[in-house]
Amino acid sequence: MAFDIEMIKKVYEGMPSRIEAARKTLNRPLTLAEKILYSHLDKHTDLRDYPRGSSYVDFNPDRVAMQDATAQMALLQFMQAGRPKVAVPSTVHCDHLITAKAGAKTDLEFANKESKEVFDFLGSVSNKYGIGFWKPGAGIIHQVVLENYAFPGGMMIGTDSHTVNAGGLGMLAIGVGGADACDVMAGLPWELKMPKLIGVKLTGKLNGWSSAKDVILKVAGILTVKGGTDKIIEYFGEGAQSLSCTGKGTICNMGAEVGATTSTFGYDDSMSRYLKATGRADVAALADTVKAHLTGDAEVYANPSKYFDEVIEINLSQLEPHVNGPFTPDLATPISKLKEVAEANGWPMKIEAGLIGSCTNSSYEDISRAVSLAKQVSAKGLKAKAEFMINPGSEQIRYTIERDGFLKVFDEVGAVVFTNACGPCIGMWDRVGAEKKEKNTIVHSFNRNFAKRADGNPNTYAFVTSPELVTALAIAGTLSFNPLTDTLINAQGEAVKLDEPTGDELPSKGFAVEDAGYQAPALDGSQVKVLVEPTSKRLQLLDPFAAWEGVDLKNLKLLIKAKGKCTTDHISMAGPWLKFRGHLDNISDNMLIGAVNAFNEKTDSVKNQLTGLYDSVPKVQRSYKAQGIGSIVVGDENYGEGSSREHAAMEPRHLGVRVVLVKSFARIHETNLKKQGMLGVTFANAADYDKIKEDDTIDILGLTSFTPSVPLTLVLNHADGTKEEFKVNHSYNAQQIEWFKAGGALNIIRANVKA
């Protein structure tokens, strides 16, 4: 029987009447996204037609998932809420804190020693509060969720931006910060701005070298990294139904790279097959009883432009394989143009490494198609020119592909199999030679390729593509190779051409696993002790943030004016810093060290207005904090793009930053700032960004009458004694203003529990 089957039954029992009521209230057919949203409205929320892109609405998600890096802070916050047990089914997955270096066995043993304190903490907290715990080596959170917990028509949140992967099984699965997860685990409603809707109509059918990955690589090129912000992408059409369930998951997974709130597909036969193959025939049977409610209404798909805010159409039969990058996942290049574009841009042509797997592409289908190419290396007398590495998505996948002989094939081409964990995808790759910062090229089937993301080297040119193309390009060793048209010279001097990849959607012998790595929580956790050593360098109990003083914020020092792309990786790096995700003060030493200072074009070098000297961003901010001086961070477009990590909001809050002013925010980061009691505002006129000078002291006026939709006033006090002022906008609603006043949403939860 599936996990939480009674919860799923309850969702399906209430779904038909809720959807019918919504259809009558809105007086029109509904998209799938709308059906799931309106059937998950909080019971205290009025049923009405909420304007998309502006209305904040309360929902009741069905479940919560957390990975180990973000779970630490989420659960440290939950421990403050005063609840004895989580209110909804919740899980923790240990997948981020495992460094990829030598291979699965050695790396996992090292991680279990290095991070034992953190794993023990997460295991004990999970045991105490009724949370399912997936041990290190069990697999990557999103693959494990797809295999065990995702179900059509459900709504879940997760403390990782790629939670959206579960859309492959017809969910609305949304990435959030730990404070949002804390709310839901505490039994409170979850607030979301009603998303706009993008409809993507897929026609035709994939063939040859093209894969589901190419659909989202194409979409990323169309929408760019911020084109999906505050929007849900809903895929439909005959082409959508022709895709495998895990292929759908890949597409939804990388929806995070265009900033989408989430992505989803309607329930179909491929989802039913996947549920049955993963031991959840009971869920498939339940879904079949409400099948009509698990997809958009026929009228919507017949006339999509009438019901979606934007419509994109892609013919899968004509879709060419793509390679996206470097340094951004939306720079899309068809494989036929790659050589030309790479040479024109001076990208390093030699490929040093090819990596497949991760939460994006580690399904049985992905691995089997890659294996079909790896088999050709020996069969055609070839030798792989680049290093080749694999991150299986789960122990179930790893065990199954070992049983079916796939790992033996990879071993024969010299591949290294890493632990069932994120590894290089999240920057946990101890790559030999990366410290030299040499210019080089890698190709991978991951989702993100920001500078320094995989190996910490700013000069690693990382390209995102399908597992099939990664394998082919790793064999060829050059970006100039197009496997659709080009040949390779084998050991005998013969010109040989790679055959098109083939593979099975699901294992013909079924999935198998000896120990999936799951630990069920205690039925009664009241006697379970959770210990955090006061001297720990990895874990630190949280103190509540201070409430707003009740006055306007004046005499704020400019900490940094960030130029260009400033993702959560730039604000709070991963990689070696992951070990401090449970210790707010220690991890705050990485705050904004990756951001480019607009005044000197350097990273981690800002002017200390108290001394006139340049120093690292955290050190300058700590000096301001020691003097009781607040500060402001200024940023560019789509500030906070990327991972959901709330540390990027908590670190500035902890160190005394009071305001973040940018041209525009990424959705999750803006919410994280609000949850932590920070003031996040945007330029009313983007050109005002240029008015801010390095030695400015800044005032924010209008907070004593802080009101939704009413701009605030910012005053620049220049070093020469002159002043300038201009309006700044905000998106705070009445509830979020209360978070700001209380010093954070958690302070309100705690007060309500005590009351």
Side-chain angles (χ1 to χ4, degrees):
M1 182 178 289
F3 285 100
D4 311 309
I5 191 68
E6 294 304 318
M7 176 269 286
I8 297 172
K9 286 180 181 177
K10 187 175 180 181
V11 170
Y12 286 161
E13 286 171 359
M15 185 171 277
S17 60
R18 284 177 166 236
I19 289 174
E20 186 55 36
R23 190 181 286 111
K24 287 182 178 178
T25 299
L26 275 61
N27 194 31
R28 58 174 171 77
L30 301 177
T31 66
L32 170 62
E34 288 174 316
K35 290 182 179 182
I36 300 176
L37 288 168
Y38 279 96
S39 64
H40 284 83
L41 285 179
D42 178 61
K43 60 184 178 181
H44 300 298
T45 299
D46 293 336
L47 175 57
R48 58 186 177 85
D49 191 353
Y50 289 96
R52 300 173 189 166
S54 59
S55 299
Y56 283 92
V57 187
D58 285 343
F59 297 97
N60 293 132
D62 302 311
R63 67 177 313 110
V64 173
M66 297 163 280
Q67 39 94 336
D68 50 356
T70 52
Q72 296 170 66
M73 199 56 68
L75 292 174
L76 285 165
Q77 291 178 88
F78 179 76
M79 288 168 65
Q80 288 189 311
R83 303 277 179 171
K85 190 175 182 179
V86 291
V88 301
S90 303
T91 52
V92 167
H93 306 258
C94 296
D95 61 359
H96 275 54
L97 300 178
I98 303 171
T99 301
K101 185 178 182 179
K105 184 176 185 296
T106 301
D107 294 346
L108 183 57
E109 288 175 352
F110 179 78
N112 276 321
K113 293 176 182 177
E114 182 189 45
S115 296
K116 183 179 187 302
E117 180 182 10
V118 174
F119 294 148
D120 287 349
F121 165 73
L122 293 173
S124 63
V125 173
S126 298
N127 200 26
K128 182 175 183 65
Y129 293 107
I131 299 169
F133 182 70
W134 291 81
K135 295 178 286 187
I140 305 172
I141 176 173
H142 313 303
Q143 179 71 26
V144 173
V145 165
L146 196 72
E147 290 176 356
N148 295 278
Y149 298 110
F151 67 97
M155 174 185 275
M156 68 172 285
I157 61 171
T159 59
D160 189 286
S161 55
H162 293 102
T163 299
V164 294
N165 188 80
L169 251 175
M171 292 194 89
L172 286 191
I174 301 172
V176 299
D180 279 347
C182 180
D183 285 0
V184 174
M185 289 189 294
L188 300 178
W190 171 63
E191 183 186 72
L192 176 71
K193 184 189 291 184
M194 184 62 81
K196 291 186 176 182
L197 302 177
I198 298 176
V200 178
K201 182 179 181 179
L202 301 180
T203 61
K205 189 174 183 179
L206 293 170
N207 61 84
W209 284 87
S210 297
S211 72
K213 184 64 164 271
D214 297 304
V215 175
I216 187 57
L217 294 179
K218 175 76 171 179
V219 169
I222 295 170
L223 290 177
T224 78
V225 290
K226 63 177 184 177
T229 303
D230 291 329
K231 300 170 185 175
I232 291 176
I233 303 175
E234 183 172 325
Y235 293 85
F236 63 94
E238 61 174 352
Q241 294 184 25
S242 72
L243 297 170
S244 68
C245 177
T246 52
K248 293 177 172 73
T250 292
I251 293 169
C252 292
N253 181 292
M254 268 196 72
E257 273 51 73
V258 299
T261 300
T262 192
S263 305
T264 195
F265 286 80
Y267 177 62
D268 60 16
D269 290 343
S270 72
M271 295 185 191
S272 177
R273 290 194 298 272
Y274 187 74
L275 286 168
K276 292 170 183 175
T278 52
R280 292 173 289 170
D282 47 356
V283 177
L286 287 172
D288 287 340
T289 66
V290 290
K291 192 170 185 177
H293 302 291
L294 300 178
T295 189
D297 287 336
E299 299 94 326
V300 169
Y301 297 153
N303 191 8
S305 60
K306 185 177 179 180
Y307 300 100
F308 290 100
D309 299 288
E310 184 178 349
V311 177
I312 296 170
E313 186 166 339
I314 297 174
N315 185 340
L316 300 184
S317 300
Q318 299 173 358
L319 181 63
E320 185 176 349
H322 279 63
V323 179
N324 286 26
F327 305 126
T328 185
D330 61 347
L331 183 56
T333 305
I335 187 65
S336 62
K337 302 289 185 183
L338 183 60
K339 178 183 178 181
E340 173 189 339
V341 173
E343 290 178 342
N345 285 281
W347 298 338
M349 299 301 290
K350 181 184 177 184
I351 297 170
E352 302 290 344
L355 306 98
I356 66 171
S358 83
C359 67
T360 320
N361 279 106
S362 57
S363 68
Y364 188 87
E365 180 180 40
D366 291 328
I367 302 300
S368 66
R369 283 171 64 85
V371 161
S372 74
L373 294 166
K375 287 178 179 178
Q376 298 178 50
V377 172
S378 59
K380 295 179 183 288
L382 297 167
K383 184 177 180 180
K385 299 286 183 63
E387 289 185 272
F388 195 54
M389 286 148 276
I390 303 156
N391 272 88
S394 70
E395 175 58 15
Q396 178 168 269
I397 287 290
R398 189 212 62 80
Y399 189 94
T400 303
I401 63 175
E402 181 179 39
R403 179 202 66 189
D404 292 350
F406 294 174
L407 293 187
K408 185 174 184 295
V409 174
F410 285 133
D411 183 64
E412 289 171 352
V413 298
V416 176
V417 179
F418 290 136
T419 312
N420 312 318
C422 301
C425 185
I426 190 61
M428 294 295 281
W429 182 18
D430 189 356
R431 186 184 183 191
V432 176
E435 72 282 354
K436 298 176 184 177
K437 298 186 178 179
E438 295 173 334
K439 196 173 181 179
N440 75 105
T441 285
I442 66 173
V443 292
H444 60 60
S445 67
F446 307 158
N447 39 51
R448 293 198 172 127
N449 58 346
F450 304 140
K452 302 184 182 182
R453 173 81 178 188
D455 62 2
N457 179 3
N459 297 313
T460 292
Y461 287 59
F463 295 85
V464 180
T465 188
S466 66
E468 298 93 320
L469 273 192
V470 169
T471 307
L473 291 171
I475 293 170
T478 175
L479 289 179
S480 65
F481 179 63
N482 178 357
L484 283 72
T485 58
D486 298 347
T487 57
L488 296 168
I489 303 300
N490 68 9
Q492 290 74 45
E494 303 165 331
V496 296
K497 192 170 185 289
L498 294 176
D499 300 328
E500 292 179 348
T502 59
D504 296 324
E505 174 185 339
L506 296 165
S508 59
K509 300 177 184 177
F511 286 107
V513 68
E514 285 186 349
D515 179 7
Y518 176 70
Q519 174 184 297
L523 294 176
D524 179 6
S526 60
Q527 300 305 310
V528 176
K529 300 294 184 183
V530 178
L531 299 177
V532 176
E533 294 294 334
T535 57
S536 173
K537 295 181 179 180
R538 300 288 301 271
L539 298 164
Q540 179 188 46
L541 295 176
L542 296 175
D543 292 320
F545 289 132
W548 173 57
E549 303 89 338
V551 297
D552 288 334
L553 301 179
K554 295 185 177 181
N555 300 314
L556 304 175
K557 298 296 184 185
L558 174 66
L559 176 61
I560 186 172
K561 179 178 174 180
K563 178 182 178 181
K565 187 184 283 285
C566 193
T567 71
T568 50
D569 274 7
H570 295 87
I571 305 168
S572 176
M573 286 185 178
W577 292 94
L578 280 175
K579 68 178 68 172
F580 298 123
R581 285 283 180 87
H583 197 295
L584 182 55
D585 193 59
N586 282 347
I587 199 171
S588 292
D589 283 334
N590 78 359
M591 185 189 74
L592 285 159
I593 63 175
V596 176
N597 182 354
F599 298 109
N600 62 9
E601 302 285 335
K602 295 181 179 179
T603 58
D604 202 24
S605 175
V606 295
K607 189 174 184 179
N608 185 330
Q609 292 192 36
L610 301 180
T611 66
L613 302 175
Y614 285 84
D615 208 336
S616 73
V617 184
K619 287 182 180 178
V620 172
Q621 183 54 40
R622 286 188 186 276
S623 73
Y624 292 158
K625 182 179 181 180
Q627 298 293 322
I629 299 170
S631 64
I632 181 170
V633 168
V634 175
D636 215 318
E637 297 282 3
N638 207 31
Y639 182 88
E641 159 192 351
S643 299
S644 68
R645 65 191 66 150
E646 65 184 329
H647 298 77
M650 295 187 77
E651 291 172 30
R653 182 74 167 100
H654 172 66
L655 292 184
V657 176
R658 302 302 301 272
V659 183
V660 179
L661 167 65
V662 300
K663 292 180 182 177
S664 64
F665 282 108
R667 176 189 64 85
I668 299 176
H669 186 64
E670 183 178 25
T671 300
N672 286 344
L673 289 170
K674 292 176 179 179
K675 285 280 185 176
Q676 301 302 334
M678 288 281 283
L679 184 64
V681 291
T682 56
F683 291 98
N685 178 5
D688 289 336
Y689 171 91
D690 298 323
K691 295 178 180 178
I692 296 175
K693 299 179 180 179
E694 190 171 26
D695 293 306
D696 282 348
T697 298
I698 299 169
D699 304 331
I700 302 288
L701 309 179
L703 289 174
T704 54
S705 57
F706 198 6
T707 306
S709 303
V710 177
L712 300 170
T713 299
L714 184 142
V715 180
L716 299 176
N717 300 290
H718 297 310
D720 62 5
T722 61
K723 295 177 181 287
E724 289 184 84
E725 68 175 58
F726 51 80
K727 295 296 183 182
V728 292
N729 295 328
H730 68 85
S731 62
Y732 288 72
N733 60 24
Q735 176 175 269
Q736 293 166 349
I737 290 173
E738 292 306 310
W739 298 346
F740 170 77
K741 291 179 178 178
L746 187 58
N747 290 347
I748 294 176
I749 296 174
R750 188 186 304 105
N752 289 340
V753 169
K754 289 181 179 178

